[in-house]
Amino acid sequence: MIDMVAALVVDLSEQRLLAYDPAGGLIYAALVSTGRSESPTPVGSFHVDRKYQQTPMEGRGYRMPLVRNVMCLAGGDLAPDQVCVHPAP
């Protein structure tokens, strides 16, 4: 179990998520799927604004009734719940 994550980094070129502890050590890595060309993943520094144990997600052409372990980001010009990190159901 990951107790304390200081930073999450999404490497768009490698399609990987990296989690670092407060000392800068890598504690987790996973493959990810990021935005499509018509709705690209934003680039910048953001913070976790909201966490949902489970929540419905929907967008253009999809609806998932319950997605677990969702973290939505804020910062820059992101609207609330616009960009979220979550497992692929």
Side-chain angles (χ1 to χ4, degrees):
M1 180 171 158
I2 298 172
D3 290 322
M4 180 145 207
V5 174
L8 292 175
V9 175
V10 176
D11 182 330
L12 296 174
S13 64
E14 296 290 326
Q15 291 291 287
R16 294 185 64 81
L17 177 135
L18 307 166
Y20 295 92
D21 66 21
L26 180 65
I27 55 175
Y28 181 78
L31 293 174
V32 296
S33 178
T34 57
R36 297 179 178 186
S37 58
E38 62 271 11
S39 60
T41 298
V43 175
S45 293
F46 309 100
H47 63 272
V48 175
D49 183 54
R50 298 177 188 175
K51 294 180 182 181
Y52 299 100
Q53 192 170 55
Q54 59 183 16
T55 188
M57 298 186 87
E58 59 185 80
R60 190 179 353 204
Y62 71 93
R63 177 159 176 30
M64 295 179 279
L66 288 178
V67 178
R68 300 173 63 96
N69 303 317
V70 176
M71 295 184 299
C72 296
L73 308 178
D77 58 355
L78 294 180
D81 294 350
Q82 177 183 2
V83 174
C84 301
V85 177
H86 59 86

